[in-house]
Amino acid sequence: MKNLIKLSMLLLAFVIPTITNAYVIEVDGIYYGIYGSSAVVTNGGSNLDSCSYSGNIVIPESVTYNDTTYSVTDIGIGAFYYCTGLTSVTIPNSVISIGEYAFEGCSGLTSITIPNSVTSISEKAFYYCTGLTSITIPNSVTRIGEKAFYYCNSLDTLNFNAVSCAYSWGTPFDNRISFINIGDSVLKIPAYFVNGLTKLTNITFGKSVTSIGDYAFNGCSALAGNLTLPKSITYIGNYAFSGCSSLVGLSLPKSVTSIGDYAFNGCSSFAGNLCLPKSVTSIGKQAFNNIATIEAVTCAAETPPAWNDLAMFTANVYNHSPLYVPIGSERTYMSDQCWGQFSTIIGKNMNDEVQATGISLNQSQMNLMIGGSAQLIATVMPDSTTNKVVTWASNDPTVATVNANGLVSALGVGTATITATTTDGSNLSASCMVTVTEDLSDFDNFLSIDDMEAFHGDTIVIPVKMINEASIISFQTDIFLPEGLELLQEDGEYIIDPSERMTRTHSIMSNAVSNGAVRVICYSSNYKPFTGNSGDDLFYITVKVADDAEGDYSIQLKNTLFTTSTFEELTAPDIAANIHVKAYIPGDANNSGTVTVTDVVVTSQYVLEMNPQPFNFDAADVNDDGTITVTDVTRIAWMVLNPSQHAPLRAPALWNNGDLMSGNDITITAGETRRVSIVLNNEMDYTAFQCDLNLPEGLTVNNFQLTDRASRHAFDVNTLSCGKIRALCYSPAMDGIHGHEGALLTFDVTANGDVNGHITIDGIELVTTACQTVRLDAFSIGVNNSSNVNELATGKTISKIEYFNLAGQQIDSVGSGVTLVVTTYTDGSRSTSKVIR
């Protein structure tokens, strides 16, 4: 391999005219090729086996030879080729380019600084520099050639600022690398940019990048969190992010038009919604395959994007994840061979997108102990913003990391900045400074407060807990509340109530102090210790939330001291908790200020697209999943019946829990009406359900009725704007659906002509009596014209058709097994045919 490279270099020397016309000089042990007024550092001759350099080399900005001064402008082709004894090189600010193979094979070179004057680093410039541990690439560099750092296996520090043309960095580096911003002047991320770089943890793109080349980030398995692409991106190449198995989310800008083959294949940690903007016109082969946990897919284009392979997604996504498309485009997507594989396709209004105008965090500063964690909450404004997803990043993961949900974990002593950034194209951000100190285990005694939710105008009681290894007889602490929260008083005294952990001899007092806090002091006149030590409630503070409060508010307890039963004074760490204040009451769908049966009704009307007014979407979305369904209707009914209790826990929706909704196929003639039953066979106990009916052309339905299984339930149907018929069933009294098998809903179908097709029932959502959502697979009821299953005599007119099973019992339609079809004609004759299913 080495001899082939040498041969190619020698050939290059003969095809570049400037080299053949140059002459070589030597000044202070360094060889230069002279080209006009410029000097280019060379290897000193054409024999590449004999390296002329070792040790530390300092290249000057200019050299003087025969009374003529030349500016040193370049490191030439193969200048230090396989100089294994070279340990360091100082490159002057006059150098603008580093040539091909310039430092190839310099295994003794451990570090190098490239000056701001350099604009180009050519192919294989540092190829096989196996001892190189760090390198800084300045902003001035606009081009990095193919394999410039290939096989730099010891490289653990890469300060990278800007580049507009690059290929492969070679084999994976040994330490995790986090890129700083790719400069705004960069237009293209080229093919094989960091292909196979398994230690890359995150990257931020400049706002001018228009395309990402093939294999650019392929195999970057440590690239984590939510991937946010700039709104200038139009093209994502083949395998661009394939195998990025740590990515959990993806935000595609509205500028993207084309997604290449296998572009996101194997991003196996993806766990959210995938939104494809209306600008996307083509998607390559298996672009999103081997991703099993996409919750929902939204495709905003009215015309289904062209595809290159039927396996764009996995079978699990096709079968279990709903596809949201523009209202009116449902049938177009259903009839598409690829997109039609989705079992559930739902129309959605795509024209009401609102972009973020601001973002804030619940805390701007945070103190943690090593091993501790805390939740940051990002609030995106306005509240009507369509896409509120943010990405999280830490500037020093050795001190503190943050996951995709904003949970901060403290790892080492120091400070780190945690930043949340919007993903809807507005690119807004907010930060929190995290200070990490010694291990929390050093503090065996401390107070704690849990995060809470409240509503504007609320009065809330906040428990303060104490965990203590020592026997504690007294404590003091300072309570800091932000503007918008007020510690309530009664008869001039702050309302701070003791828990059962305090004895009758404990006294608790409070007063406002000069640092802006309310200081709480508690002690026992006969030195009795507090009971317990497990972290149970110690005392309670009563807080009034301002009428105009909204968002996140931090309550802090600082300067905490404990006194032990041996009169030792102990210091406890400062703590903080977040109070998330909502500007509405969950469940108050009609903004009346209270949750009543009216809210149940208007929420059900919204589910059925009956446009109730007024209607508060956020208040009605009580399970906070971004959609209004029968689950929200049921939860509001529960809240009406249980006004003094907490709402049920927001358990994740269950898919395919073993329960089944189904229906039998029917055979029908033109003008005929048939009764159809939807059957529910269930192990779990349900109180509500909704489903959507998609009808074939020529078929109409009416006379929907619940069976006795739901005799005490409210029920309604409505035709949606997309043409589907939605059925909604719930119980304001939270009654359960009776039994565990049999028909649940019946309706009549009438054929307006010859009908052959299917009634598809999708969007099936049931709600358990514990208010948990259960989603079932879609199913179809076959609809056949009776003339297709009967052998009719030519010229005869049918009078009636009857169906019998093998037991001689008359049935409504063709069933499973063997069905006898008896046709009676107007001339009195009859014929019998057999249908086997």
Side-chain angles (χ1 to χ4, degrees), residues 281-601:
T281 59
S282 67
I283 299 177
K285 180 187 302 183
Q286 299 191 32
F288 300 98
N289 209 314
N290 293 313
I291 306 174
T293 54
I294 298 176
E295 293 181 7
V297 178
T298 298
C299 192
E302 294 183 358
T303 301
W307 42 271
N308 195 27
D309 183 81
L310 290 177
M312 185 191 307
F313 297 93
T314 63
N316 187 67
V317 172
Y318 282 127
N319 293 333
H320 301 145
S321 303
L323 171 63
Y324 294 96
V325 301
I327 292 174
S329 299
E330 298 91 336
R331 292 187 182 276
T332 305
Y333 276 85
M334 290 176 187
S335 61
D336 184 275
Q337 190 176 1
C338 179
W339 295 99
Q341 294 181 89
F342 279 90
S343 61
T344 302
I345 299 179
I346 302 171
K348 179 182 177 182
N349 186 355
M350 303 290 181
N351 298 320
D352 55 357
E353 295 186 3
V354 178
Q355 194 171 56
T357 59
I359 181 175
S360 63
L361 298 182
N362 57 315
Q363 297 186 64
S364 60
Q365 293 185 336
M366 179 187 294
N367 296 318
L368 291 174
M369 305 296 174
I370 294 176
S373 62
Q375 182 67 54
L376 282 177
I377 300 174
T379 300
V380 179
M381 288 79 73
D383 193 55
S384 57
T385 301
T386 304
N387 177 11
K388 292 188 177 182
V389 176
V390 300
T391 59
W392 295 91
S394 169
N395 74 332
D396 192 344
T398 64
V399 174
T401 60
V402 59
N403 70 6
N405 298 314
L407 181 65
V408 179
S409 299
L411 302 182
V413 174
T415 60
T417 300
I418 305 297
T419 303
T421 305
T422 57
T423 62
D424 65 346
S426 57
N427 292 321
L428 304 173
S429 62
S431 298
C432 173
M433 180 68 73
V434 179
T435 301
V436 180
T437 55
E438 65 259 47
D439 196 328
L440 185 61
S441 62
D442 293 340
F443 292 94
D444 297 322
N445 311 276
F446 54 91
L447 301 179
S448 69
I449 310 176
D450 293 333
D451 294 342
M452 295 181 63
E453 284 190 348
F455 314 109
H456 62 176
D458 238 354
T459 297
I460 57 175
V461 176
I462 301 175
V464 178
K465 304 175 183 180
M466 180 173 71
I467 297 174
N468 56 296
E469 290 292 328
S471 178
I472 304 298
I473 62 173
S474 66
F475 74 88
Q476 79 174 53
T477 189
D478 291 346
I479 302 173
F480 289 84
L481 293 178
E483 185 177 351
L485 301 182
E486 176 188 2
L487 195 60
L488 280 185
Q489 300 183 58
E490 189 174 78
D491 298 328
E493 299 286 337
Y494 290 106
I495 304 177
I496 299 178
D497 298 317
S499 74
E500 294 180 355
R501 295 186 66 179
M502 297 186 187
T503 68
R504 292 183 179 179
T505 62
H506 280 96
S507 299
I508 189 166
M509 298 179 294
S510 59
N511 190 46
V513 290
S514 58
N515 62 4
V518 173
R519 179 162 295 166
V520 179
I521 299 176
C522 182
Y523 64 94
S524 171
S525 59
N526 59 358
Y527 315 117
K528 290 286 186 180
F530 300 107
T531 61
N533 62 358
S534 62
D536 292 333
D537 298 347
L538 181 63
F539 64 93
Y540 306 92
I541 61 177
T542 302
V543 173
K544 177 68 169 63
V545 181
D547 292 338
D548 59 352
E550 180 180 357
D552 295 294
Y553 297 81
S554 177
I555 177 172
Q556 301 180 16
L557 268 60
K558 297 183 176 181
N559 311 318
T560 302
L561 300 174
F562 294 114
T563 306
T564 70
S565 56
T566 59
F567 298 98
E568 179 185 5
E569 186 175 88
L570 303 177
T571 301
D574 297 342
I575 63 169
N578 181 66
I579 310 297
H580 181 63
V581 180
K582 297 182 177 180
Y584 55 84
I585 299 174
D588 183 19
N590 67 342
N591 282 332
S592 66
T594 57
V595 181
T596 67
V597 69
T598 304
D599 300 298
V600 179
V601 174

